[in-house]
């Protein structure tokens, strides 16, 4: 990127198939939404000292990006264990799509964690400090664990819930098994189209509701916003058990 440029605009390089390395000069202060997203062959990103503000989805779906380097004089950004971290958005981090580790233990001081669709990650361990994370973009994630002292989340059988178990947040895309029993305590399924709990799991076919259907007063599935994210063209079966007959 030429020296003197101050902003890399929204979608500036999105979808590019030729570029393998990008060097951001010291003059650049801002990188906008999806500026380097879905780049087919981007492998290396070098960030200068002046970059101050970055978009959370700036390199989403760039699945070969593994090597990120930051100028040591940059007081806002730094790389830790291959993950780009920001001091501007306190505790925020951006996990690159090409990082090949299968497991990731989230550091104790991390608050917000954004994944870029990484296809290699299979297991994640959330620290007690994390309060915002998007695991739905990980196609092969199969196991989620949470620090038992987390005030925000808990995990049961590798599924992520709110701490009080009233909301299911993420059913991992790589989790095995074709049937899932939704706990009776759950009142909310994901966040609709913004952050669905179920997305691209290839094996899941049957979802069983114990007690009332979440999000309704009558016990019927009268609101369908929670269905957003289910794989199109695939048949699913939903079962409703108002009592303990499911145990039979």
């Amino acid at each position: 990127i030429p020296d003197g440029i101050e902003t890399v605009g929204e979608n500036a390089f999105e979808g590019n198939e030729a570029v393998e390395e990008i060097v951001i000069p010291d003059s650049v202060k801002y990188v906008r939404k999806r500026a380097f997203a879905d780049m087919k062959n981007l492998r290396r990103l070098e960030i200068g000292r002046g970059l101050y503000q970055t978009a959370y989805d700036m390199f989403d779906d760039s699945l070969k990006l593994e090597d990120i380097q930051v100028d040591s004089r940059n007081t806002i950004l730094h790389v830790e264990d291959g993950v780009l971290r920001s001091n501007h958005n306190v505790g925020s981090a951006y996990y690159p799509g090409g990082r090949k580790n299968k497991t990731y233990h989230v550091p104790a001081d991390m608050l917000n964690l954004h994944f870029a669709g990484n296809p290699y990650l299979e297991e994640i361990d959330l620290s007690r400090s994390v309060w915002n994370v998007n695991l739905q973009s990980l196609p092969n994630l199969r196991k989620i664990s949470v620090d038992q002292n987390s005030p925000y989340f808990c995990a049961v059988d590798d599924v992520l819930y709110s701490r009080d178990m009233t909301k299911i947040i993420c059913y991992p895309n790589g989790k095995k098994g074709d049937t899932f029993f939704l706990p009776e305590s759950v009142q909310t399924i994901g966040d609709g189209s913004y952050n669905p709990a179920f997305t691209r799991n290839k094996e899941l076919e049957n979802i069983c509701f114990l007690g009332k259907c979440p999000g309704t007063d009558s016990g019927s599935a009268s609101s369908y916003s929670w269905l957003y994210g289910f794989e199109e063209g695939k048949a699913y079966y939903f079962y409703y058990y108002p009592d303990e007959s499911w145990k039979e």
Side-chain angles (χ1 to χ4, degrees):
I1 296 176
D3 191 25
I5 297 292
E6 291 190 358
T7 301
V8 180
E10 186 172 331
N11 311 112
F13 290 84
E14 184 171 4
N16 182 281
E17 299 182 359
V19 175
E20 297 183 7
E21 178 178 350
I22 289 180
V23 178
I24 300 176
D26 293 345
S27 61
V28 171
K29 298 179 180 178
Y30 310 102
V31 172
R32 302 305 188 194
K33 293 180 61 177
R34 297 186 64 84
F36 308 118
D38 196 25
M39 296 184 68
K40 308 304 182 185
N41 290 295
L42 179 64
R43 289 173 167 80
R44 187 173 190 273
L45 183 65
E46 185 176 320
I47 297 173
R49 66 180 296 185
L51 186 57
Y52 174 77
Q53 191 175 82
T54 56
Y56 72 94
D57 57 355
M58 61 181 173
F59 47 69
D60 271 13
D61 303 315
S62 290
L63 303 183
K64 292 184 179 180
L65 177 60
E66 183 177 14
D67 183 14
I68 302 177
Q69 302 293 326
V70 178
D71 191 303
S72 60
R73 298 169 296 174
N74 191 309
T75 60
I76 303 299
L77 303 172
H78 68 280
V79 175
E80 182 180 309
D81 192 23
V83 177
L84 181 64
R85 302 197 58 177
S86 171
N87 297 325
H88 176 70
N89 298 316
V90 180
S92 295
Y94 312 89
Y95 193 101
R99 189 174 186 268
K100 293 184 172 60
N101 300 56
K102 290 186 176 182
T103 62
Y104 185 54
H105 299 280
V106 179
D109 61 340
M110 195 173 288
L111 305 179
N112 302 283
L113 181 56
H114 183 80
F115 293 92
N118 185 291
Y120 304 100
L121 195 60
E122 297 180 5
E123 301 182 13
I124 184 168
D125 179 29
L126 299 180
S127 62
R128 69 182 307 272
S129 61
V130 175
W131 68 272
N132 185 32
V133 62
N134 72 317
L135 302 178
Q136 290 83 350
S137 69
L138 301 172
N140 294 308
L141 182 68
R142 58 182 179 82
K143 184 176 182 179
I144 302 171
S145 57
V146 179
D147 187 300
Q148 63 180 0
N149 294 314
S150 170
Y152 309 108
F153 304 117
C154 71
V156 178
D157 295 332
D158 303 321
V159 178
L160 187 65
Y161 299 89
S162 61
R163 182 64 192 177
D164 60 4
M165 289 286 291
T166 61
K167 180 178 183 178
I168 179 172
I169 297 171
C170 179
Y171 185 94
N173 290 320
K175 183 175 172 62
K176 301 298 182 182
D178 62 1
T179 300
F180 174 61
F181 287 86
L182 192 71
E184 189 173 357
S185 61
V186 172
Q187 301 173 13
T188 306
I189 302 178
D191 292 319
S193 61
Y194 174 72
N195 206 13
F198 300 92
T199 51
R200 295 172 289 173
N201 186 286
K202 301 298 183 183
E203 295 197 9
L204 185 63
E205 295 179 357
N206 309 298
I207 298 178
C208 304
F209 299 95
L210 309 182
K212 291 195 306 182
C213 182
T216 69
D217 294 323
S218 62
S220 62
S222 58
S223 174
Y224 297 98
S225 62
W226 56 270
L227 287 171
Y228 185 93
F230 281 98
E231 186 175 351
E232 293 184 11
K234 179 180 177 180
Y236 293 92
Y237 300 88
F238 301 94
Y239 302 90
Y240 167 51
Y241 297 93
D243 49 38
E244 295 189 356
S245 60
W246 63 274
K247 293 181 179 180
E248 302 174 3

